[in-house]
Amino acid sequence: TANDPGSASVTFEGVSNTGAKTIYVQGLEIGQNIALSATAPGYTSAQGSVTVQPSAFVLYSPPSINTRVSASATNIQVTSVRLNPTTLNYQAGQPVRAGLNIDVVVLSGDTSIGTITLSPLSFSGGDNSKITQFSPGGVGTTLITITQPAGFSEPSNYRQIPVTVTP
């Protein structure tokens, strides 16, 4: 399953039809090219490959926050994603690799303007996204950012959320 650490091979036992089966490939090293092959008695073998792409955590939503000092906290969605290997732009959402438990720190650049209600966010294998909140505290502007955990790349986009708090 997508939520279990894998092995070098997988065998489907007791298959009684020609319907598609699903496997998951979990990348461990950026740029590594993984060769895949499939064999079954009475069928032609097939080969393919997968190249491990960089991944990151991004501030997926909202794109900006405009709020008032007296307003309630605003939800912020942090998402695990695959990045384009050339541009490091967000390419697609993807769950955290099975067997991995990681903390993602979300920061407000100026805590006198507002604070993050829950940080770090704890992601485990299979998690796609988590929610934290920005709680306004004073008038002004600040930026919300993420500190990328070790082994993750810094994305080119979805890196920060500008915040404006008015009276």
Side-chain angles (χ1 to χ4, degrees), residues 70-114:
S70 60
S72 59
T74 302
N75 283 352
I76 298 169
Q77 181 180 355
V78 176
T79 303
S80 172
V81 301
R82 184 176 72 243
L83 302 174
N84 177 292
T86 303
T87 65
L88 296 181
N89 281 337
Y90 165 91
Q91 190 167 27
Q94 70 176 18
V96 171
R97 175 175 52 85
L100 189 64
N101 295 304
I102 193 126
D103 288 337
V104 178
V105 176
V106 182
L107 301 167
S108 171
D110 186 340
T111 56
S112 70
I113 305 300

Side-chain angles (χ1 to χ4, degrees), residues 3 24 39 72 76 115 147 154-155 160:
N3 298 329
Y24 298 89
T39 60
S72 59
I76 298 169
T115 58
T147 301
E154 187 69 40
Q160 58 191 20

Side-chain angles (χ1 to χ4, degrees), residues 56-62 74-81 90 93-96 102-107 116 118-123 127-134 144-149 152 155 158-161:
F57 291 90
V58 298
L59 294 162
Y60 189 73
S61 142
T74 302
N75 283 352
I76 298 169
Q77 181 180 355
V78 176
T79 303
S80 172
V81 301
Y90 165 91
Q94 70 176 18
V96 171
I102 193 126
D103 288 337
V104 178
V105 176
V106 182
L107 301 167
I116 301 301
L118 177 62
S119 180
L121 296 172
S122 295
F123 282 78
D127 289 343
N128 291 304
S129 66
K130 299 283 182 172
I131 300 291
T132 189
Q133 295 181 320
F134 173 81
I144 297 169
T145 59
I146 291 177
T147 301
Q148 294 297 322
F152 289 82
Y158 294 91
R159 294 170 53 168
Q160 58 191 20
I161 296 175

